[in-house]
C-alpha cells in the first residue's frame, strides 16, 4: 500500500483533554477527535485525574478519529503516543485496575516530602543524576506520598503486584498489556539517571521505590508492542512515545543544537536542543532527554511555567471577566497598556527559574482606574514575561543567543500574546502551519520506526511557517517593563500563606 493511502495515528493525552489525530505523509491533519475529562481537586493545591476516564476518553477519541477519516485499521501504519508528563499512577499488574487516582503534575501535595529530602542534603546528587530539581512537580515524591499515605501499597509494590507509570505507560498497558515507557518520560520521574539512561538504585532508595514496579525503558522511536486486536479490529504497532514537550520539540523539527520552541498550553514549556550532551543548568532550568532514536540520545534544556494558558481559563471560569478565550485578545488590544497592572499567576507555586512551591498568585499596581481590560491584558502579558525569564536563563546556560522562537499550543492562537512575546523578547516568534505540533511529533517518532518517513530530512521538509511576529518595542520600554515585572515577582514571593 502506498504511503499516501496509509496514515499515522497520534494519541495526544493532555492535562485537560484526550485527543487523537490522524496524519498523512506531508504532516497534514486528516481527522481529529477531542474529549475533555474531569479535573479533580480534593483540597487546595491538590489535583487528580481518574485513570479509567483518561483511558475511556483516549480510546473513544481514537476510534472517532478513525471513523471520521473513513479508513480501516489496516490503513494505520503505526501509533504514536504523547502525554502530559510527571502525572503519576499505580495499578494492579494482574487486573489493570488503578489503586488510586492519578496524581497530576500540577499537584503540590508532596511539597513537605521534598522539603524533608532537601534538608537531608539530597538535592545536588539528584540534580546531577536526573537533571531535575527536587520539586513536587515530578513523579517520585508523588509515589512516596502514595506509599506513606495508603496502607498496604508499599508491601504490594515490593511483592511486584503493582505497576508504576506515567500516562504513556498507562496507555501502553491498556493498548497492549505491556508495561513500558520511553526515555523522555522516564527522565521526568526523579528516578532515572539521564547519563546512564537507567533506573538508578541510589535514587530508588532515597524515594523508597521498589524496582519491581518500574516499566521497561525504550527509545522514543522504536517498536514498543502491538495493540490488542479487539481494540481496533486488528493489531497496530505502537512505535513512537514521548512526553508532550519533547514531542513538540520534535514536531517543530528542532533537530539541531540551539533550536528552541515554546508550547503555550496549560503551562508554558520552553525547550532548547543541546545536542548529544546534557548541560546541567546554572540557572535553575531542567536538563532532560529530548529523544532517543536508535543508539543516539539528544538532550534539551527546559524551562517550565506552571500557569500559562491556564491564566486565561482562570479569567473565564473563576473571575468571569471573559466568556471565552478568544475574547481576551480583543480586550487586551482595547487598551494601550496594562495601566501598570501586573499579574503573577503563581496559583500552584512557581516553576523555573524560581522553583518556589509556596508563593501564590498576586496582582500588583491596581488603581481606581484599573478595569477589566487592564487585568485581562496583564494576565496575557504574564505568560510572555514568564517565558522571557526562561529564555534569558537558557541563553546564559547555552552560551549563545537564541535566534528565533518557534511557538505552538492553544494560547499561541492569540495574536496579541504572540506579538507581545516577540516584543518582550526582542526576537522573532514563528508559528507553524500545522498547530497540532505535539501530536505531530509523536506521529513522526512512530512513523520513522516503520519507514513511513525515511529520515529526519524527510520530516524537516514538512515544517512550514504560518506566521512570523517581529519585535516592535524599543529597548528602553522593554527594560522598564521587565524591571516592573521582576518587582512584581519580588512582591509575590514576599507573601507567604500560613
Amino acid at each position: 500500500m502506498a504511503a499516501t493511502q496509509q496514515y499515522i495515528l497520534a494519541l495526544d493525552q493532555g492535562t485537560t483533554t484526550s485527543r487523537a489525530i490522524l496524519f498523512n505523509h506531508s504532516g497534514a491533519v486528516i481527522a481529529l477527535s477531542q474529549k475533555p475529562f474531569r479535573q479533580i481537586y480534593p483540597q487546595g493545591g491538590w489535583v487528580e485525574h481518574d485513570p479509567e476516564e483518561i483511558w475511556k476518553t483516549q480510546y473513544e477519541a481514537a476510534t472517532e478519529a478513525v471513523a471520521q477519516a473513513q479508513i480501516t485499521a489496516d490503513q494505520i501504519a503505526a501509533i504514536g503516543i504523547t502525554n502530559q508528563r510527571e502525572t503519576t499512577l499505580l495499578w494492579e499488574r494482574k487486573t489493570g485496575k488503578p489503586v488510586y487516582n492519578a496524581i497530576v503534575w500540577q499537584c503540590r501535595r508532596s511539597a513537605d516530602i521534598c522539603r524533608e529530602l532537601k534538608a537531608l542534603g539530597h538535592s545536588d546528587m539528584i540534580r546531577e543524576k536526573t537533571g531535575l530539581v527536587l520539586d513536587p512537580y515530578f513523579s517520585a515524591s508523588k509515589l512516596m506520598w502514595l506509599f506513606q499515605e495508603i496502607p498496604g501499597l508499599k508491601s504490594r509494590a515490593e511483592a511486584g503486584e503493582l505497576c508504576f507509570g506515567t500516562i504513556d505507560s498507562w496507555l501502553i498497558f491498556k493498548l497492549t498489556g505491556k508495561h513500558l515507557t520511553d526515555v523522555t518520560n522516564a527522565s521526568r520521574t526523579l528516578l532515572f539517571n539521564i547519563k546512564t539512561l537507567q533506573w538508578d538504585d541510589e535514587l530508588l532508595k532515597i524515594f523508597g521505590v521498589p524496582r519491581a514496579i518500574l516499566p521497561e525503558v525504550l527509545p522514543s522511536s522504536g517498536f514498543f508492542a502491538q495493540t490488542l486486536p479487539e481494540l481496533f479490529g486488528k493489531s497496530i504497532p505502537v512505535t513512537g512515545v514521548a512526553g508532550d514537550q519533547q514531542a513538540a520539540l520534535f514536531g517543530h523539527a528542532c533537530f539541531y543544537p540551539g533550536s528552541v520552541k515554546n508550547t503555550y498550553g496549560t503551562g508554558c514549556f520552553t525547550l532548547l536542543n543541546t545536542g548529544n550532551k546534557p548541560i546541567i543548568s546554572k540557572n535553575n532550568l531542567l536538563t532532560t532527554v529530548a529523544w532517543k532514536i536508535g543508539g543516539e540520545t539528544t538532550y534539551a534544556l527546559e524551562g517550565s511555567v506552571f500557569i500559562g494558558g491556564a491564566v486565561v481559563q482562570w479569567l473565564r471560569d473563576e473571575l468571569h471577566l471573559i466568556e471565552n478565550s478568544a475574547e481576551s485578545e480583543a480586550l487586551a488590544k482595547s487598551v494601550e497598556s496594562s495601566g501598570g497592572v501586573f499579574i503573577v499567576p503563581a496559583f500552584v507555586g512557581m516553576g523555573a527559574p524560581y522553583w518556589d512551591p509556596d508563593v501564590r498568585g498576586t496582582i500588583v499596581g491596581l488603581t481606581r482606574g484599573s478595569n477589566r481590560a487592564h487585568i485581562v491584558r496583564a494576565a496575557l502579558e504574564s505568560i510572555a514575561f514568564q517565558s522571557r525569564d526562561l529564555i534569558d536563563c537558557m541563553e546564559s546556560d547555552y552560551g549563545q543567543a537564541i535566534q528565533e522562537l518557534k511557538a505552538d499550543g492553544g494560547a499561541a492562537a492569540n495574536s496579541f500574546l504572540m506579538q507581545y512575546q516577540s516584543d518582550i523578547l526582542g526576537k522573532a516568534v514563528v508559528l507553524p502551519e500545522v498547530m497540532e505540533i505535539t501530536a505531530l511529533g509523536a506521529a513522526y517518532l512512530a512513523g520513522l520506526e516503520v519507514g513511513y518517513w525515511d529520515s529526519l530530512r524527510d520530516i524537516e521538509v514538512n515544517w512550514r511557517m504560518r506566521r512570523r511576529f517581529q519585535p516592535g518595542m524599543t529597548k528602553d520600554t522593554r527594560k522598564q517593563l521587565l524591571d516592573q515585572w521582576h518587582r512584581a515577582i519580588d512582591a509575590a514571593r514576599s507573601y507567604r500563606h500560613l
Side-chain angles (χ1 to χ4, degrees), residues 220-299:
S220 316
S221 180
F223 178 76
F224 283 75
Q226 296 276 358
T227 62
L228 302 169
E230 62 267 25
L231 292 176
F232 299 101
K234 68 163 294 221
S235 292
I236 303 168
V238 177
T239 55
V241 178
D244 52 9
Q245 303 314 320
Q246 290 96 328
L249 191 70
F250 201 80
H252 272 297
C254 289
F255 300 146
Y256 306 105
S259 51
V260 62
K261 72 89 196 174
N262 194 13
T263 297
Y264 296 83
T266 304
C268 284
F269 300 90
T270 311
L271 270 75
L272 179 141
N273 182 328
T274 63
N276 60 8
K277 287 192 172 65
I279 295 174
I280 300 299
S281 173
K282 294 181 174 65
N283 294 287
N284 283 328
L285 298 180
L286 308 177
T287 307
T288 199
V289 178
W291 52 75
K292 184 179 181 185
I293 300 173
E296 191 169 331
T297 304
T298 298
Y299 293 90

Side-chain angles (χ1 to χ4, degrees), residues 186-404:
S187 77
R188 311 295 295 190
T189 61
L190 285 175
L191 302 172
F192 189 75
N193 188 316
I194 61 169
K195 294 171 182 172
T196 65
L197 300 180
Q198 302 286 331
W199 299 118
D200 189 277
D201 286 328
E202 189 175 6
L203 296 170
L204 295 178
K205 185 177 180 183
I206 287 170
F207 289 100
V209 175
R211 186 174 278 273
I213 67 171
L214 300 174
E216 181 185 353
V217 183
L218 299 176
S220 316
S221 180
F223 178 76
F224 283 75
Q226 296 276 358
T227 62
L228 302 169
E230 62 267 25
L231 292 176
F232 299 101
K234 68 163 294 221
S235 292
I236 303 168
V238 177
T239 55
V241 178
D244 52 9
Q245 303 314 320
Q246 290 96 328
L249 191 70
F250 201 80
H252 272 297
C254 289
F255 300 146
Y256 306 105
S259 51
V260 62
K261 72 89 196 174
N262 194 13
T263 297
Y264 296 83
T266 304
C268 284
F269 300 90
T270 311
L271 270 75
L272 179 141
N273 182 328
T274 63
N276 60 8
K277 287 192 172 65
I279 295 174
I280 300 299
S281 173
K282 294 181 174 65
N283 294 287
N284 283 328
L285 298 180
L286 308 177
T287 307
T288 199
V289 178
W291 52 75
K292 184 179 181 185
I293 300 173
E296 191 169 331
T297 304
T298 298
Y299 293 90
L301 280 169
E302 176 177 330
S304 312
V305 167
F306 292 157
I307 300 294
V311 74
V312 181
Q313 295 170 340
W314 172 71
L315 294 174
R316 181 192 66 200
D317 300 339
E318 308 305 330
L319 298 191
H320 304 290
L321 293 182
I322 55 174
E323 288 188 11
N324 55 63
S325 298
E327 193 184 346
S328 65
E329 182 176 334
L331 265 174
K333 287 178 175 176
S334 73
V335 287
E336 286 188 13
S337 73
S338 67
V341 176
F342 287 81
I343 295 178
V344 180
F347 306 142
V348 290
M350 294 190 75
Y354 304 101
W355 295 110
D356 189 339
D358 299 317
V359 66
R360 289 294 175 260
T362 306
I363 304 177
V364 299
L366 291 170
T367 67
R368 181 65 183 81
S370 301
N371 62 32
R372 182 169 70 118
H374 293 125
I375 290 171
V376 169
R377 180 169 174 136
L380 289 173
E381 289 179 354
S382 77
I383 302 172
F385 282 126
Q386 290 177 97
S387 298
R388 161 76 197 231
D389 285 346
L390 298 181
I391 289 165
D392 283 351
C393 294
M394 273 181 183
E395 289 183 329
S396 172
D397 282 334
Y398 190 59
Q400 294 180 37
I402 291 161
Q403 300 307 308
E404 66 178 22

Side-chain angles (χ1 to χ4, degrees), residues 57-77:
T57 53
Q58 188 63 78
Y59 178 58
E60 285 176 356
T63 53
E64 266 190 25
V66 173
Q68 190 186 114
Q70 298 183 317
I71 65 169
T72 58
D74 59 8
Q75 288 177 269
I76 302 171

